[in-house]
Each structure stands twice: as structure tokens, then as C-alpha cells.
């Protein structure tokens, strides 16, 4: 069976990109990365792509006066490479409704919070300041409103005593790196359907039976 063609969009370090590269290199993984696009030049994510032999393109937003023209260039690069699913992995530019709608139900994002809580930036600082017991990360289909859209997968990560934003980010990152390849695999296997504003999984997709309690009780 042919593999699902992924276009990964990044702005920086690209550790989630690396998790996807590693997954795609394993036998029988049902997807392949056909292009990586960064809106910032010289970032480590582009190097990761090149090292893996994947076409790595920089489309620098600073070269464009209008957001729509910048996005047209991205759209063209994605279609040139026959991308079937766009994976936003630390892509730090807001996308216009026009672009988002062109990729509706064919574009997913990873966000470092348990959405719909803590949209936007500095999610870990805000969660710690609020004293919530669990933080986490979410993979969702992209809609025009920022950090919004049908939720595919989430991981809940407890906030420890003396947690710092950095320590929490590090913990959450390990779950991001597990989730992104897993979510893409479900999509590639055809086990995911978007219905209105919800994701529906096929019956053979396993769900956790129980929750987590923190502190442990
Ligand atoms: C991740 O925390 C992701 O959730 C957020 O941006 C960060 C990207 O990290 N959207 P990396 O570049 O994949 O290391």
C-alpha cells in the first residue's frame, strides 16, 4: 500500500520533526515525509531534514509583504510535493482562514497544553502559575481559530512539586514525541474520521480505560 505523504512545517529546533523522521524510518510505518518547510532560515529542523535526505525548503515570511502571498508559496511547495497531510510541528506563524480552509481536515498541529485550556504561548508558565495539577499536550486538526479544532490525541502530564516551566516542557516533550508518530499512523491507516467538530476513531482503536489521579490517591 502506498504511504501517506507528509509535509512537515516548522520554525525551529524540530524535535517533533525528528520523532516523525525516526518513525518514518521504521519498517512498515504507513507514512513518509516528502517535504519539510520552515519559515525561518538556518534552524536546526532544516538540518535534521537534510540529514535524513528529505527536501528541506525555507520560505521566509520576511521575504513577503503580504501574508497571503507567503502562504501561496507554502501551498505551492506542498502541492508540488503531492503532500496529503500537513503536520505543523512548532510552526510559529498564524495561518489565515484561506490557507487553513484549503487544507481543512488535511492539516494537524501539536500544542503543548491540554486544549482547550491554555491556547497560545507560554503554556507551561501559565499552568504552573494557575496551580493546576495536570498539564499536557494535544494533537488536533487545524481550524481558522488559533489552537482550535477537532482533537485527535492528548497526553496528561502531572505537575510536580517545584516544577519549573523548563522541567515541565521537557516532560511534555517526551509525550509529544510519542504522540505525533502515533497520531499520524492512525490517520495513515484510515482509522480517523472528522465529524463536525469531533474526531471519531474506528472501533479497533484502543482507548485508556482509566484516568490518572494526582497526587496519587
Ligand atoms: C512543541 O512544544 C510543540 O508542542 C509546539 O512547539 C514546540 C516545537 O518543538 N507547537 P520542536 O521544534 O518540535 O522541538
Amino acid at each position: 500500500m502506498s504511504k501517506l505523504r507528509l509535509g512537515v512545517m516548522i520554525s525551529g529546533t524540530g524535535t517533533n520533526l525528528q520523532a516523525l523522521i525516526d518513525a518514518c524510518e521504521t519498517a512498515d510505518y504507513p507514512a513518509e515525509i516528502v517535504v519539510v518547510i520552515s519559515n525561518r532560515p538556518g534552524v536546526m529542523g532544516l538540518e535534521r531534514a537534510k540529514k535524513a535526505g528529505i527536501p528541506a525548503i525555507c520560505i521566509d515570511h520576511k521575504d513577503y509583504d503580504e501574508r497571503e502571498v507567503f502562504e501561496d508559496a507554502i501551498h505551492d511547495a506542498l502541492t508540488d510535493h503531492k503532500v496529503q497531510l500537513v503536520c505543523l510541528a512548532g510552526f510559529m506563524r498564524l495561518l489565515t482562514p484561506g490557507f487553513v480552509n484549503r487544507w481543512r481536515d488535511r492539516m494537524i498541529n501539536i500544542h503543548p497544553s491540554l486544549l482547550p485550556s491554555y491556547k497560545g504561548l507560554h503554556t507551561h508558565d501559565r499552568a504552573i502559575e494557575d496551580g493546576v495539577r495536570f498539564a499536557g499536550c494535544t494533537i488536533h486538526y487545524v481550524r481558522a481559530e488559533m489552537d482550535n479544532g477537532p482533537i485527535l490525541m492528548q497526553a496528561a502530564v502531572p505537575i510536580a512539586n517545584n516544577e519549573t516551566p523548563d522541567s515541565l516542557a521537557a516532560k511534555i516533550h517526551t509525550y509529544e514525541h510519542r504522540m505525533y508518530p502515533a497520531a499520524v499512523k492512525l490517520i495513515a491507516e484510515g482509522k480517523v474520521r472528522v465529524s463536525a467538530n469531533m474526531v471519531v476513531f474506528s472501533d479497533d482503536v484502543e482507548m485508556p480505560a482509566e484516568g490518572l489521579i494526582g497526587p496519587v490517591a
Side-chain angles (χ1 to χ4, degrees):
M1 219 177 83
S2 63
K3 295 188 178 218
L4 185 71
R5 297 173 67 84
L6 310 178
V8 183
M9 289 169 56
I10 59 164
S11 300
T13 316
T15 62
N16 280 286
L17 164 66
Q18 189 65 53
L20 286 169
I21 291 172
D22 294 345
C24 289
E25 284 174 354
T26 62
D28 299 334
Y29 191 75
E32 60 180 332
I33 303 172
V34 294
V35 66
V36 171
I37 300 172
S38 172
N39 68 307
R40 291 182 56 215
V43 295
M44 199 194 293
L46 286 171
E47 293 309 313
R48 293 178 191 273
K50 284 182 202 155
K51 198 169 165 212
I54 299 165
I57 302 174
C58 177
I59 300 176
D60 188 341
H61 62 276
K62 291 189 184 136
D63 293 340
Y64 297 84
D65 292 334
E66 287 173 41
R67 197 175 278 267
E68 284 77 7
V69 185
F70 162 66
E71 291 180 347
D72 281 347
I74 294 176
H75 181 80
D76 289 348
L78 293 169
T79 50
D80 284 350
H81 287 85
K82 300 186 171 54
V83 166
Q84 295 171 300
L85 179 72
V86 177
C87 300
L88 303 181
F91 184 75
M92 300 303 285
R93 300 295 293 174
L94 288 178
L95 295 164
T96 66
F99 182 89
V100 170
N101 288 333
R102 278 195 273 182
W103 290 92
R104 188 182 170 92
D105 296 344
R106 295 185 298 146
M107 179 159 62
I108 60 177
N109 178 46
I110 187 156
H111 180 75
S113 80
L114 285 172
L115 290 174
S117 294
Y118 303 110
K119 296 175 181 179
L121 299 174
H122 310 299
T123 53
H124 307 318
D125 308 61
R126 288 154 57 206
I128 291 169
E129 272 167 29
D130 286 347
V132 297
R133 299 267 73 97
F134 288 97
C137 45
T138 302
I139 295 180
H140 63 98
Y141 282 94
V142 177
R143 294 290 183 263
E145 307 80 38
M146 183 189 66
D147 298 327
N148 201 356
I151 290 173
L152 258 158
M153 201 176 271
Q154 293 187 302
V157 177
I159 296 181
N161 281 337
N162 306 318
E163 195 83 77
T164 66
D166 284 347
S167 65
L168 185 56
K171 278 201 292 196
I172 289 176
H173 249 120
T174 65
Y175 286 88
E176 294 189 20
H177 300 158
R178 284 168 58 184
M179 277 203 327
Y180 221 148
V184 167
K185 185 167 186 276
L186 287 177
I187 294 170
E189 290 173 341
K191 294 183 174 178
V192 174
R193 183 168 59 82
V194 181
S195 172
N197 202 34
M198 287 189 33
V199 167
V200 181
F201 294 103
S202 55
D203 289 342
D204 59 340
V205 174
E206 200 185 346
M207 290 295 165
E210 301 195 347
L212 295 170
I213 299 179
V216 174

